[in-house]
Structure formats: structure tokens, C-alpha cells
Amino acid sequence: MDNRQALGSWLSGPRAAAEEAGVDFGYRGEQLGLPEEGPGSIARPGRRLAALAVDWGLSLLIAYGLITQSYNEAAQIWAPLIMFALMVLTVGTVGFTPGKRLLGLRVLALDTGRVSPWRSALRTVLLFLAIPALIWDRDGRGLHDRLAGTVEVRI
């Protein structure tokens, strides 16, 4: 291996270097038995973030329009509480929030397929801590999904 090849593998990262060496990582969700594309496949990060933004906007709208007349108070106090309740109740009953439904996403439990309220509460608490949601495995699931035993898929 010459220096240019070694430098190129360092710049492209360990996964690219391993793939060049012949390691097959498979596609995201393969280890979970999910399809590679289409309905039931792992949700992409862009859609997940967009759904989170829609849910946050809805929570802000409810807090500002129905509870307070101050954007500052709505954003700091009420919107996070409304979003927490929205996520726990909707994911724990129907499997998606309004933002997830709008963008064609659903949360499933890996063992039963239906997310129980306690799993939804655990997932939401970990999501609100932010750090577990920023640590992903090779399937694209956040640590909050792994600990709750859930996966977010496309509908």
C-alpha cells in the first residue's frame, strides 16, 4: 500500500477502508430483518428530523395559541411539556406522532410490532436527553430506540 492509498483510506473513514478490504456490512436494517427499500425499511435521518420539527412546531402552536400569549413562555415552559405528552401518548397508542404520520414514518417494537406506553415513555425520556438520540448504531437506530427495543420505519 503506498502513502496515497493509506491517506485516502484515512480520509474516507474506517468503514470505507473496511469495505475496500472486502468486508460486507450489508444494508441498514438487514440485521433486524427489515427490507432495504420501501415500506418497512429503516427511516432516514432527514425524514426523522423533519418529523421532529413538525411535532415541535405543533407543540409551539398549541402552547402559544391555547395556553399562553407569550412566545417566550410558550417556548420555554409549555411547548416541551406538550411535546413530551404528545410523543408518549401518540407513539404509545397508534405508533406515530402527527409529524411522523405526515412524513410517512412509524415506530414499531421489535418483538411485538406495537409500542407499549411504557416503551414510548422510555423512548421519549431518552430522546429528550438528546445524547442517546445522537448515538447511532450501524442500522441507523439511535441509542434511545435500542434501549426501548423500538425501530422507526417508513410506512
Side-chain angles (χ1 to χ4, degrees), residues 6-132:
L7 183 62
S9 68
W10 177 77
L11 289 174
S12 59
R15 182 178 177 125
E19 286 175 344
E20 281 183 19
V23 176
D24 181 25
F25 288 105
Y27 61 87
R28 292 167 47 163
E30 184 175 18
Q31 292 179 338
L32 303 172
L34 300 175
E36 185 173 5
E37 297 284 329
S41 64
I42 294 276
R44 299 287 183 223
R47 277 190 180 192
R48 295 171 74 168
L49 287 173
L52 193 62
V54 168
D55 291 334
W56 177 251
L58 180 63
S59 299
L60 267 176
L61 186 66
I62 291 169
Y64 182 71
L66 298 178
I67 299 174
T68 69
Q69 296 303 318
S70 163
Y71 175 77
N72 231 8
E73 188 180 344
Q76 292 178 3
I77 299 169
W78 291 104
L81 294 174
I82 291 170
M83 183 147 171
F84 184 85
L86 175 81
M87 292 178 88
V88 170
L89 294 174
T90 58
V91 171
T93 55
V94 293
F96 47 79
T97 62
K100 289 183 190 332
R101 181 66 181 130
L102 183 67
L103 290 163
L105 303 175
R106 185 179 184 97
V107 179
L108 299 173
L110 287 175
D111 51 356
T112 62
R114 185 175 174 91
V115 180
S116 65
W118 73 269
R119 275 189 197 204
S120 176
L122 173 64
R123 182 181 188 276
T124 305
V125 166
L126 292 171
L127 181 67
F128 269 64
L129 292 175
I131 298 298

Side-chain angles (χ1 to χ4, degrees), residues 137-155:
D137 64 4
R138 88 173 199 69
D139 287 321
R141 289 192 315 157
L143 188 58
H144 65 296
D145 277 327
R146 286 188 63 111
L147 293 175
T150 59
V151 63
E152 197 165 339
V153 298
R154 294 172 53 194
I155 296 178

